[in-house]
């Protein structure tokens, strides 16, 4: 069974074609700058050279056509024709309170996702554009939505309820949803496997640290809390997002700077975080370099980031009445030796004992604590595409 996994952004589309027989990636790629000048498709067939195709790509339908053309191309394709694609899995950011797991796409599902546009105005419309384009091109192929919010739907009300009047929750669904759920799920399941004990017995904290970062508490295989909230703005410091701040700062700045709602939204999501504090970059690598060269603001942004993560780990340990394993994933979690070392070396009180040598590695699944460490820590490269493909296979096979 071949499954096409699609992740549509407003101007980009990432894809992987996965052969479920051995879960191998037959081809992967990215359509970038959809609707803009210089649109292009980067296509990498398994075991072959990358192909770069430039074309006019005004919308997602043309992008999907190009992807399908590349996948079935005689020279650099990996399938003979489109009949070899058995199902499509669509990454969908926001499932609101409506979706607790992956679902087969039909008119009703599309309608419900559209109803969630108000909660995810930047993310859900491109998903629907991708879904519609795929249906146009492959009307008879079953399709499945896998939601970024679904894994967090097991949170209890005390974790997802904000201190606002209850009718705001009832009227507008103002509550914590959490994001990166597919990644937290994959990483927590891998951590369970590496611990070699049943999921029911384990308390795991997963740290997805990338451009956007979130932390989740997974008790007995179920997410019980996560740091992102109603939107992906809440939680720890991120590349360009504030993370949690006093909400009163928002009206204060709007008044001082004479900002509109759009201005302040843009500010909180695009101008803050590492970029805002350091003034250097949203990319931790540049911030780390600047800090190493004596830039104090760059160092401060790193300190704020680590401190925030430490506080979440402490809070989630309290929430679960203990912790057995801490897992690091995504760009920073998988690659920053310093970030892992600085965070774990502050957790001696929990019984974490870092194995400094094992930690000298990037992007490789492994344990990075000593044999005696009471709480284990792991690097676990995330694989959201594989989870989407597995969910898609499961849903279409009933
Ligand atoms: P996204 O949320 O966009 O998927 P990624 O998971 O790719 O982001 O993470 C991007 C972040 O990972 C950037 O801040 C980048 O600096 C960081 N990163 C990547 N490689 C390294 C590295 N070797 N050392 C430190 N940070 C790294």
């Amino acid at each position: 069974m071949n499954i096409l996994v699609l992740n549509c952004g407003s101007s980009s589309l990432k894809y992987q074609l996965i052969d479920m027989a051995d879960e191998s990636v037959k081809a992967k790629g990215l359509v970038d700058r959809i609707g803009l000048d210089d649109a292009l498709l980067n296509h990498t067939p398994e075991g072959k050279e990358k192909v770069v195709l430039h074309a006019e790509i005004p919308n997602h339908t043309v992008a999907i056509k190009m992807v399908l053309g590349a996948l079935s191309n005689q020279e650099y394709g990996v399938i003979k024709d489109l009949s070899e694609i058995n199902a499509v899995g669509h990454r969908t950011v926001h499932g609101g309170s409506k979706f607790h797991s992956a679902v087969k796409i039909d008119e009703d599902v599309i309608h419900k996702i559209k109803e969630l546009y108000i909660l995810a105005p930047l993310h859900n419309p491109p998903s629907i554009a991708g879904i519609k384009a795929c249906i146009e091109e492959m009307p008879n192929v079953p399709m499945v939505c896998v939601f970024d919010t679904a894994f967090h739907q097991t949170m209890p009300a005390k974790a997802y309820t904000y201190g606002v009047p209850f009718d705001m929750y009832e009227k507008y669904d103002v509550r914590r949803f959490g994001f990166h759920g597919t990644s937290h799920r994959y990483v927590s399941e891998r951590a369970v496997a590496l611990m070699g004990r049943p999921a029911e017995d384990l308390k795991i904290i997963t740290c997805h640290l990338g451009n956007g970062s979130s932390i989740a508490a997974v008790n007995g295989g179920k997410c019980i809390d996560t740091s992102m909230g109603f939107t992906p703005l809440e939680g720890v410091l991120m590349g360009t997002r504030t993370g949690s701040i006093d909400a009163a700062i928002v009206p204060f700045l709007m008044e001082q700077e004479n900002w509109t709602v759009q201005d302040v939204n843009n500010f909180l999501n695009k101008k803050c975080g590492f970029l805002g504090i350091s003034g250097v970059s949203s990319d931790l690598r540049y911030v780390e370099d600047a800090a190493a060269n004596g830039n104090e603001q760059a160092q401060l942004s790193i300190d704020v980031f680590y401190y925030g993560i430490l506080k979440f780990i402490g809070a989630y340990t309290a929430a679960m009445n203990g912790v057995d394993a801490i897992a690091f994933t995504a760009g920073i979690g998988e690659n920053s030796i310093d970030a892992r070392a600085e965070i774990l070396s502050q957790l001696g009180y929990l019984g974490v004992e870092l194995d400094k040598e094992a930690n000298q590695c990037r992007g490789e699944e492994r344990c990075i604590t000593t044999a005696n460490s009471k709480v284990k820590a792991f690097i676990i490269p995330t694989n959201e595409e594989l989870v989407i493909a597995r969910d898609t296979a499961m849903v279409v096979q009933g």
Side-chain angles (χ1 to χ4, degrees):
M1 183 180 216
N2 290 324
I3 293 184
L4 177 62
V5 175
L6 289 181
N7 179 355
C8 289
S10 56
S11 64
S12 70
L13 184 166
K14 287 189 210 149
Y15 64 93
Q16 285 194 6
L17 186 68
I18 300 182
D19 180 351
M20 295 312 285
D22 58 358
E23 296 190 331
S24 63
V25 177
K26 286 169 95 89
K28 62 180 171 186
L30 164 73
V31 186
D32 213 357
R33 303 184 59 79
I34 297 171
L36 303 169
D37 290 342
D38 309 331
L40 75 158
L41 165 68
N42 270 302
H43 171 75
T44 311
E46 187 191 13
K48 289 189 200 158
E49 286 282 294
K50 179 163 103 175
V51 183
V52 182
L53 302 166
H54 294 268
E56 203 177 313
I57 311 179
N59 53 46
H60 287 78
T61 306
V62 176
I64 297 275
K65 273 192 183 141
M66 277 188 79
V67 169
L68 298 177
L71 289 169
S72 54
N73 183 280
Q74 282 198 337
E75 201 185 317
Y76 46 78
V78 291
I79 51 176
K80 271 208 239 58
D81 57 56
L82 298 187
S83 68
E84 289 184 42
I85 298 178
N86 306 102
V88 183
H90 293 267
R91 176 192 179 221
T92 309
V93 170
H94 218 310
S97 306
K98 295 177 195 287
F99 297 104
H100 298 234
S101 58
V103 287
K104 190 152 176 216
I105 297 172
D106 57 19
E107 277 306 316
D108 181 49
V109 167
I110 292 177
H111 178 71
K112 284 190 174 129
I113 295 172
K114 282 187 174 171
E115 283 180 346
L116 295 168
Y117 277 6
I118 186 167
L119 296 181
L122 299 179
H123 294 108
N124 277 16
S127 290
I128 289 292
I131 290 167
K132 290 204 155 157
C134 265
I135 294 174
E136 255 175 72
E137 293 306 307
M138 299 180 280
N140 298 318
V141 176
M143 301 195 192
V144 171
C145 270
V146 180
F147 300 94
D148 245 25
T149 45
F151 182 60
H152 302 304
Q153 279 293 304
T154 48
M155 281 188 290
K158 65 182 176 189
Y160 70 67
T161 303
Y162 289 119
V164 297
F166 199 70
D167 62 341
M168 294 293 164
Y169 161 62
E170 291 179 313
K171 235 186 347 194
Y172 302 117
D173 233 357
V174 171
R175 53 157 286 177
R176 178 183 311 286
F177 289 107
F179 300 87
H180 294 143
T182 309
S183 176
H184 287 291
R185 183 173 135 208
Y186 175 81
V187 171
S188 59
E189 286 174 3
R190 285 302 310 150
V192 165
L194 293 168
M195 292 292 284
R197 281 162 50 195
E200 296 71 44
D201 297 349
L202 290 168
K203 296 165 178 172
I204 294 169
I205 296 175
T206 47
C207 305
H208 179 112
L209 309 178
N211 204 13
S213 294
S214 66
I215 303 185
V218 183
N219 194 351
K222 291 202 166 70
C223 175
I224 61 114
D225 207 347
T226 190
S227 61
M228 281 181 169
F230 179 64
T231 75
L233 187 63
E234 199 182 345
V236 295
L237 191 84
M238 304 183 214
T240 56
R241 296 186 199 128
T242 50
S244 300
I245 59 169
D246 181 343
I249 294 170
V250 176
F252 174 80
L253 286 181
M254 287 178 83
E255 207 160 40
Q256 299 305 312
E257 297 281 318
N258 212 5
W259 280 342
T260 62
V261 170
Q262 206 180 348
D263 292 336
V264 79
N265 226 350
N266 195 48
F267 170 79
L268 296 167
N269 283 287
K270 304 263 172 70
K271 304 268 165 60
C272 296
F274 283 130
L275 177 66
I277 299 178
S278 72
V280 173
S281 173
S282 62
D283 189 308
L284 180 61
R285 283 167 292 197
Y286 298 115
V287 179
E288 281 179 347
D289 287 348
N293 287 321
N295 182 324
E296 287 179 14
Q297 274 172 242
Q299 185 57 52
L300 177 62
S301 70
I302 295 171
D303 292 345
V304 171
F305 177 61
Y306 293 165
Y307 185 61
I309 295 166
L310 280 172
K311 288 205 291 187
F312 269 105
I313 291 175
Y316 289 167
T317 302
M320 294 192 288
N321 189 18
V323 59
D324 298 297
I326 300 168
F328 293 90
T329 195
I332 297 170
E334 292 168 31
N335 295 301
S336 176
I337 294 165
D338 284 355
R340 293 189 303 257
E342 290 294 326
I343 292 162
L344 293 173
S345 61
Q346 299 291 316
L347 297 174
Y349 75 99
L350 289 177
V352 173
E353 209 178 280
L354 176 71
D355 180 336
K356 286 190 183 139
E357 216 147 277
N359 187 41
Q360 294 294 319
C361 117
R362 299 182 202 278
E364 197 182 292
E365 186 177 283
R366 59 161 68 173
C367 177
I368 51 171
T369 39
T370 63
N372 289 331
S373 187
K374 210 171 119 224
V375 174
K376 300 288 175 202
F378 302 104
I379 304 169
I380 300 179
T382 193
N383 195 342
E384 290 158 278
E385 291 78 10
L386 183 58
V387 175
I388 294 171
R390 284 177 182 164
D391 271 9
T392 301
M394 206 175 65
V395 169
V396 299
Q397 287 165 345

